[in-house]
Amino acid sequence: MSRLFETRPDDDGLPGRERRIAVLVVMVGTLMAVIDTTMINIALPSIARDLEISAARAVWVVSLFQIVCAATLLLFASLSELVSRRRLYIAGLVVFTLASLGAALSNGLEMLLAFRALQGLGAAATLSIGPSIYRLIFPTRLLGSAMGLSAVVVAAGYASGPTLGGVILSFADWPWLFALNVPVGLLALTLAVRALPAEPRRRGGFDIAGALLSAAMLASFFLAMDGAGHQAPWWEVLGLMLASLVAGWLFLRRQRRASHPLLPLSLFDEPRFTLAIVVSGLAFVGQGLAFIALSFLYQQEMGFSPLQTAWLFTPWPLTIMFAAPLAGRLADRFNPSLLSTLGLGMLLVGLVALALLPQGAGILDILWRTALCGLGFGFFQAPNNREMMSSVSKARSNNASGMMSTTRTIGQSLGVALVGVFLALGAGSVQASLWLGCGACALAVVVSLRRVPLAPGAQAAPTQRASPGPD
């Protein structure tokens, strides 16, 4: 860890001492957003009981946050160029913290949903530019290690959220889950004002039409995925998907003409970035499918309790926390695409092992398979994120960061929705959805193999071997 804060004469980014506080700010902001998502899930029964609403309506406390956050990631990533990443991140922390206080004081569903939507906006502002701030803080030589640290923070949030929520609910009411964000947010704000680096802002306008079309495209998509996952009427899901496709087509047309596009399509002229985005989306589809399908498998078909099921998932984020820093460090020295592909291979083997899990399997049989998935995902994610961020210029790192976050969210949501579709089909649906997750991961491996020769080190190697030696 100490090497992350060493300063060399030719380093870009912040000096070593200043990196410590700046990276702490980004870590705390990310943890608040991720933990909030996973922690509130287990509080839904309590919220439904206290507010005297149905469980189906209570689900919107989680769904609205996720939809608003996902629909505005690209918008905020582009806006950061105009206002600067420092100002946008601080504004996001302010909105998230104040909205958390409002949610804690809510006495009805409508008030709670309004503040959850504001929380989603604050979270989107911070999450959309988090990876690009890592690139602003750390020198290029440590970018892989920085992406590994980012993956650890997200995995820690997913691992600790349910447990932390359960502990708080054991002695306090659900509003305290939101109130917890207030002192943490104030601490993060104090450090952010002190430590986040200033940078010049871009001159020019903002693509308002593109922002509206982007929000419409993504919101319609996530509403459709949510509807499919909850077995909404087919005409409603198809209507939302059609609206998303039309908005997406109009959005792309707008991006080709806009003087300051929300998402510069020139990003995709770089094959390394494009392939890394595709691989990321496929991998998160596989993970989203596996998480939901395994929940049903463990509880409905294998007879485990919800608490036991939560513990059975624990090796996944824990092994990511172990593997991601190591993979990130290796990605600074070796071909990140090759490392990422090897990680995907391990993830695929783990998913196949889970799909072949016998009905009477013991806990140890489940745990080693789950740990292998987490190990593979950890070795995939950090090098892949490094590849994404390093394949574009620093001037475009904001847009790349927003695209990275949006792709992750789309992939996970699509995976969840596909499980809902399979469950509606009836018998054998859980195993079928697991095998579909394996298929998505296998396709990710194939695409990832295509980019291995494109890495700068791989391209340079033949030239080095062909050059004549000294006389």
Side-chain angles (χ1 to χ4, degrees), residues 182-322:
V182 177
V184 179
L186 291 174
L187 173 63
L189 271 171
T190 303
L191 296 175
V193 171
R194 173 185 172 187
L196 288 184
E199 59 180 338
R201 293 180 288 171
R202 172 177 62 77
R203 300 288 181 181
F206 181 71
D207 185 13
I208 297 176
L212 294 174
L213 288 169
S214 168
M217 170 185 67
L218 293 170
S220 299
F221 174 82
F222 287 111
L223 284 169
M225 293 300 98
D226 184 74
H230 291 91
Q231 300 177 20
W234 64 267
W235 54 265
E236 180 181 319
V237 175
L238 287 180
L240 287 167
M241 282 302 300
L242 180 61
S244 179
L245 289 172
V246 171
W249 177 70
L250 293 173
F251 173 73
L252 291 176
R253 287 193 62 185
R254 170 66 185 175
Q255 298 313 286
R256 293 190 181 97
R257 300 195 311 267
S259 56
H260 297 288
L262 194 78
L263 178 65
L265 298 183
S266 58
L267 279 175
F268 301 98
D269 292 339
E270 171 52 63
R272 290 168 54 207
F273 177 80
T274 303
L275 292 172
I277 284 289
V278 172
V279 169
S280 179
L282 289 169
F284 277 104
V285 167
Q287 180 182 254
L289 277 162
F291 271 33
I292 303 302
L294 288 172
S295 295
F296 284 97
L297 177 67
Y298 294 153
Q299 295 181 59
Q300 293 187 357
E301 300 188 16
M302 302 183 72
F304 289 105
S305 69
L307 182 59
Q308 289 172 323
T309 298
W311 283 110
L312 290 175
F313 276 108
T314 303
W316 194 307
L318 287 182
T319 46
I320 289 178
M321 293 171 65
F322 162 76

Side-chain angles (χ1 to χ4, degrees), residues 55-70:
R57 295 186 70 196
V59 168
W60 276 100
V61 175
V62 172
S63 297
L64 185 61
F65 173 91
Q66 294 175 332
I67 290 169
V68 170
C69 180

Side-chain angles (χ1 to χ4, degrees), residues 136-163:
L136 191 65
I137 294 171
F138 288 96
T140 304
R141 65 181 176 84
L142 294 174
L143 185 57
S145 298
M147 293 298 101
L149 182 62
S150 175
V152 167
V153 172
V154 173
Y158 278 112
S160 61
T163 303

